[in-house]
Amino acid sequence: METFEKGSKIKNGKLNILDLYGTWREMGRQYGALARPELRHIYGAAMTKLLNDAPDRQLVCQKAEKFVANYPFRFKEILRGMAETSGLSPEDLNLINALEVIASSELVSPQCSGIAAWGDYSAGPLVYGRNYDYLPWFKELGEDLALVAFHPADGSLSVAALGYAGEIYAVNAMNETGLFLELNNGMPSGGALWYDSRVPAVAALFGFMFDCSTLDEIESAFQTTRANFAYIVGVADGQTARCFEWPVFDVKLRLSHSRPGLTVLTNHFTEFSWGLPRPDDKTYWMTRTRRQNLLNLAKHFKGTINETVMKNIMDTKIDELGATTEQTLYQLVAVPERYELWFKIPEEQEWTQIDMKSILKPRED
């Protein structure tokens, strides 16, 4: 175990697990010191590539600055603290924080998939499976993945977010009340409009997890917040899951009338009240095929889905009638009721269990 001030860092396979305590600035200082090797590797391996390949380096830097410009103050404090101890400048850290946003200017076909099963579909408590897909060269950053647990001193809930080191936002997260959240790109249905003038949705989701202890509170947060880009977000507690289809102009809770106890998320909206046609599969990343494959697998395993079955579902490749692709960078299976999480990097690290309860230390009722 490595320590710095109040924080600590351990490795679970390739995954870095950071445990941070204190004010937002103090947690940033701990983050910067403990994740210094990963942050510097990302800057050297990824940001240098993106900057060298960019027609205009200044525009890349401006994009990173715009991304963080409307962040909540507390999240900017994390970045300020990181700049004090990481050996990287604030500008460097802004670039690392915006890594995936900057990389999205490449010809990207993200293919993230999620599935939650409970009730008649599960063999116990709710279980959630999730594939995170992105550019193939991100596989070079497998050693830089981090599960970062924030324990704020201001009374906010404790939150653990999983992604690449230095990304101060949430695409996968669990908080101390057991809420689990994951995000997918919704561009095939919601369009490609991007607002620099809004708080980035991924930062807003990070805030939701610090502030919300129930699914109803999360839903209220969605209804109060406009996205800066189109997303599809799955949120679950120990008993049920909800899916929010979140373009820049509205948000709708997807209702599943025909399959109670199951929700499947790929990259297009399926709530019928939008009145949208289904997107073309070949143009939009096989989103319909991946969704239908997961629905079929859930039907086949109905009533037996637990964490073991869900791992098998997530391991099923698209050409084997599943949803995992060559662009799947990492995978998660979560059982929120038991604060359990399993993590996998295809071909690099097999399913590895993480005890989220010991990391989050949920409050006693």
Side-chain angles (χ1 to χ4, degrees):
M1 177 188 290
E2 297 179 48
T3 61
F4 180 84
E5 296 178 350
K6 301 175 187 176
S8 64
K9 172 187 174 183
I10 61 172
K11 294 278 282 191
N12 189 333
K14 290 182 178 290
L15 184 65
N16 302 281
I17 300 178
L18 279 66
D19 214 8
L20 313 178
Y21 292 83
T23 66
W24 300 96
R25 187 71 158 257
E26 288 171 340
M27 290 190 290
R29 285 179 53 80
Q30 296 158 36
Y31 197 153
L34 294 168
R36 181 170 179 155
E38 292 76 28
L39 293 168
R40 295 180 73 84
H41 180 256
I42 288 173
Y43 189 84
M47 289 314 311
T48 301
K49 165 185 164 54
L50 290 172
L51 288 169
N52 288 342
D53 291 348
D56 188 331
R57 292 168 64 100
Q58 188 60 35
L59 285 178
V60 174
C61 295
Q62 288 175 0
K63 191 170 188 177
E65 291 171 8
K66 287 180 179 179
F67 181 64
V68 79
N70 294 315
Y71 260 41
F73 181 83
R74 54 184 173 172
F75 300 160
K76 289 181 178 177
E77 278 287 274
I78 297 173
L79 289 163
R80 292 184 186 109
M82 292 169 71
E84 294 173 2
T85 58
S86 65
L88 294 164
S89 70
E91 293 74 21
D92 294 341
L93 290 165
N94 283 347
L95 286 164
I96 293 169
N97 179 58
L99 168 65
E100 295 191 60
V101 176
I102 295 165
S104 68
S105 60
E106 295 189 22
L107 195 59
V108 178
S109 55
Q111 300 178 19
C112 298
S113 306
I115 173 174
W118 68 99
D120 291 343
Y121 279 86
S122 71
L126 178 142
V127 57
Y128 206 121
R130 190 270 204 282
N131 284 346
Y132 193 84
D133 292 44
Y134 208 52
L135 293 163
W137 61 262
F138 269 69
K139 293 179 181 179
E140 300 170 18
L141 307 179
E143 296 275 3
D144 303 317
L145 286 163
L147 176 69
V148 185
F150 297 86
H151 302 270
D154 65 359
S156 300
L157 296 167
S158 296
V159 174
L162 195 153
Y164 292 96
E167 295 179 341
I168 309 302
Y169 54 77
V171 292
N172 312 280
M174 182 181 284
N175 74 12
E176 68 172 82
T177 68
L179 289 179
F180 174 80
L181 176 149
E182 62 95 1
L183 167 143
N184 294 352
N185 187 310
M187 190 182 78
S189 296
L193 193 60
W194 177 282
Y195 282 90
D196 283 325
S197 59
R198 297 180 182 177
V199 175
V202 289
L205 291 174
F206 199 30
F208 292 0
M209 296 298 280
F210 285 108
D211 299 332
C212 300
S213 61
T214 68
L215 288 178
D216 286 343
E217 290 176 2
I218 284 268
E219 184 167 348
S220 294
F222 273 104
Q223 295 293 347
T224 308
T225 309
R226 284 181 177 253
N228 73 312
F229 185 72
Y231 293 106
I232 303 168
V233 185
V235 188
D237 61 13
Q239 287 72 48
T240 189
R242 299 181 188 178
C243 174
F244 297 93
E245 298 178 341
W246 201 22
V248 297
F249 53 85
D250 200 357
V251 63
K252 290 190 180 185
L253 173 65
R254 179 200 296 173
L255 299 175
S256 179
H257 300 289
S258 59
R259 304 181 189 91
L262 180 70
T263 188
V264 172
L265 304 74
T266 51
N267 299 109
H268 67 287
F269 300 166
T270 63
E271 170 54 37
F272 72 92
S273 62
W274 291 116
L276 293 171
R278 293 188 300 172
D280 175 74
D281 217 13
K282 291 184 179 179
T283 303
Y284 289 112
W285 327 322
M286 303 295 285
T287 178
R288 286 164 54 185
T289 294
R290 285 181 286 116
R291 172 176 165 78
Q292 190 58 54
N293 287 353
L294 289 175
L295 290 172
N296 292 342
L297 287 168
K299 182 178 180 181
H300 177 75
F301 290 111
K302 187 174 182 179
T304 70
I305 301 176
N306 57 17
E307 61 273 19
T308 301
V309 174
M310 185 61 81
K311 290 176 201 172
N312 291 334
I313 290 173
M314 304 318 294
D315 281 340
T316 306
K317 296 180 180 179
I318 193 166
D319 57 5
E320 299 169 345
L321 304 183
T324 300
T325 75
E326 292 299 317
Q327 292 177 224
T328 300
L329 300 174
Y330 60 86
Q331 300 167 284
L332 304 175
V333 167
V335 180
E337 183 176 288
R338 299 199 296 255
Y339 291 88
E340 293 174 347
L341 185 72
W342 287 265
F343 169 81
K344 177 178 178 178
I345 303 176
E347 301 178 4
E348 295 288 336
Q349 178 174 333
E350 283 304 313
W351 290 107
T352 305
Q353 186 170 0
I354 301 164
D355 180 3
M356 298 299 291
K357 191 162 190 174
S358 67
I359 292 170
L360 289 167
K361 302 177 181 64
R363 295 169 178 160
E364 299 295 333
D365 292 329

